[in-house]
Amino acid sequence: MNLRSSWVAETGQTREDTRLTQMGATNALNPVQVRSGILPGSYEGKYRLSGFWMTNSSAMSAVVSEGRAVIQGDISQGAYPVTLPASEVVTFSPGNAQYDRIDLVVLRIRDKLYGDDRNEAVIEVIEGVPEAAPKAQPAPARSLPLYEVRVPVGVSAGTGGIPWATALKDLRTSIVSAGGILPVEGAVLPGAYPGQYQDTPDAQLQRWDGGKWVAYPQAIGGVVPSTVGSAIPGSYTGQYRDGLGGRLERWNGTAWAPAFPGPYFNDSLYDGYTTSTTWVNTLSGNRATALSLTFVAPGSRQAILTFGSRIQLVGTGSGVGFMGVRIMQGTTLYRDNNDSYAVVCQSPGNISVSTTQRLHTLTAGATYTVTAYYRTSNTALQAWFDNTFLQVDPQH
């Protein structure tokens, strides 16, 4: 066995053993113990964690690559540094005839001082129990899980061996020295003290506040670059990030929202008519549903409202076709229809008309609904409306 350890063997520890295993990696778990884990690092700096990486070497065997780790014993036993200076091959038993099983590969310290039958640092395969819903056996004392390996029913070297592409589950976790920033791999564990830092797989720096990991602002007042597909929460209300698609977003305390929402727009390309001389929000013909939009009032409490339609009067006599809007904040009327605010047409021909108006004294953060309304001044005239639209541009 190539695995080296310090202060396990009763005799025979060499100076080389000591040099290889004294690594100073004591990432605190509590005032006395440290975390068990693997020291990060890789050749050419390409990966966070390459130590004790496991890949297949044959149908029923796998190779565990070189690496360094610390294995914490019980609170009075201390921590054991271990080093594997050259790769090691582990072999798995053939599969059961009836059920799958899950084997556990571990780094393990055997110490006679605490009840083991020998003093040794080893890489072991803890064979699982074949059953309908298999699970790995618990890790033994003074051990560090590396991988779970699912061994299917009846598998052996003669039947093609373990399907390595799907059989492995990586359990490795990393550690660093006290005060170091931990590159997280595997399970996210609680911190040991307020002010401890870790770097997550999606490149976010986090700080332990005594009860949870909190995202650390990449620059106070700065714009945080977002990660594709990220659901990382903000650190404080009012923090900004460069959202997906290049949209600037603001953390509102519970979610990332557009920093500058709008413009809000809705339209209808269907025509319809009314002969009503009072305001209605539905039309006969192809426009049986109301046209409306909702918007959120900005902090400035102001917005620009634009609406319009192509209007035509059909029938006998003279008259006017009107399009207006009613604006509600929930069940509260903000502004009702008014001929003075409407767009109008007094022509038998199609005429496109629109208007732009300022909305002010809105309630910041409140949701408003704008609904299109129509009427004619003469019941003998059909007032037709087509290509109708509503637009609200918040003034930020």
Side-chain angles (χ1 to χ4, degrees):
M1 175 65 70
N2 289 322
L3 193 65
R4 309 285 189 93
S5 181
S6 297
W7 319 121
V8 176
E10 294 175 272
T11 61
Q13 178 172 320
T14 67
R15 287 176 294 173
E16 186 178 71
D17 290 334
T18 305
R19 288 195 303 270
L20 282 170
T21 56
Q22 297 313 298
M23 56 196 66
T26 54
N27 201 180
L29 179 65
N30 55 46
V32 177
Q33 294 174 293
V34 300
R35 287 189 186 183
S36 296
I38 298 166
L39 271 69
S42 62
Y43 296 109
E44 300 178 355
K46 291 184 176 181
Y47 308 102
R48 286 173 176 262
L49 191 64
S50 63
F52 300 100
W53 177 266
M54 193 169 79
T55 57
N56 64 299
S57 62
S58 67
M60 298 299 294
S61 297
V63 59
V64 179
S65 64
E66 60 272 22
R68 298 188 297 166
V70 170
I71 300 172
Q72 172 67 53
D74 287 343
I75 197 163
S76 63
Q77 295 175 2
Y80 299 81
V82 298
T83 297
L84 184 66
S87 61
E88 187 82 22
V89 174
V90 292
T91 301
F92 299 84
S93 301
N96 179 262
Q98 186 176 7
Y99 295 116
D100 289 4
R101 73 170 193 271
I102 295 179
D103 293 351
L104 182 67
V105 181
V106 299
L107 298 179
R108 183 175 183 182
I109 296 293
R110 291 184 175 273
D111 192 337
K112 290 172 64 177
L113 187 61
Y114 303 112
D116 287 316
D117 59 355
R118 61 189 184 277
N119 293 317
E120 188 180 18
V122 293
I123 299 174
E124 276 190 8
V125 177
I126 310 298
E127 193 166 297
V129 177
E131 53 190 353
K135 56 184 179 294
Q137 294 294 298
R142 295 174 298 283
S143 68
L144 176 64
L146 299 178
Y147 284 86
E148 288 183 358
V149 180
R150 191 178 189 101
V151 181
V153 170
V155 72
S156 67
T159 62
I162 295 170
W164 295 104
T166 58
L168 296 180
K169 181 180 179 181
D170 192 348
L171 304 178
R172 297 173 304 151
T173 56
S174 61
I175 56 165
V176 291
S177 60
I181 296 176
L182 179 70
V184 177
E185 288 291 323
V188 177
L189 303 176
Y193 55 88
Q196 185 178 4
Y197 288 89
Q198 67 177 18
D199 183 70
T200 66
D202 49 15
Q204 185 188 50
L205 185 65
Q206 295 180 338
R207 179 184 183 275
W208 182 255
D209 71 355
K212 63 182 181 299
W213 290 106
V214 178
Y216 188 79
Q218 301 197 16
I220 296 295
V223 177
V224 178
S226 68
T227 304
V228 175
S230 171
I232 299 172
S235 300
Y236 56 88
T237 300
Q239 185 178 17
Y240 288 88
R241 76 169 184 179
D242 181 26
L244 303 182
R247 180 180 68 175
L248 187 64
E249 296 177 337
R250 178 182 183 275
W251 181 254
N252 63 16
T254 57
W256 289 106
F260 303 104
Y264 302 87
F265 184 87
N266 197 11
D267 68 347
S268 174
L269 301 181
Y270 293 101
D271 63 355
Y273 70 92
T274 183
T275 57
S276 174
T277 57
T278 58
W279 292 102
V280 294
N281 62 6
T282 58
L283 298 170
S284 301
N286 296 322
R287 286 278 303 282
T289 58
L291 178 67
S292 65
L293 65 76
T294 59
F295 72 94
V296 177
S300 69
R301 304 175 63 200
Q302 299 185 69
I304 300 299
L305 167 67
T306 304
F307 60 92
S309 183
R310 190 177 72 181
I311 306 175
Q312 179 184 19
L313 298 175
V314 178
T316 59
S318 61
V320 178
F322 298 84
M323 176 194 171
V325 295
R326 175 176 291 167
I327 305 174
M328 303 289 293
Q329 180 198 337
T331 58
T332 302
L333 178 66
Y334 170 79
R335 197 183 83 181
D336 207 351
N337 289 290
N338 188 306
D339 290 355
S340 299
Y341 301 147
V343 295
V344 298
C345 174
Q346 190 176 10
S347 171
N350 285 309
I351 295 186
S352 294
V353 289
S354 65
T355 184
T356 299
Q357 301 164 4
R358 182 173 70 97
L359 306 179
H360 55 89
T361 64
L362 300 167
T363 300
T367 299
Y368 291 80
T369 301
V370 181
T371 304
Y373 276 78
Y374 320 89
R375 79 178 190 88
T376 180
S377 65
N378 185 345
T379 57
L381 291 174
Q382 294 180 349
W384 284 82
F385 300 87
D386 195 5
N387 298 345
T388 306
F389 74 94
L390 302 169
Q391 180 171 325
V392 174
D393 295 271
Q395 302 299 287
H396 299 289

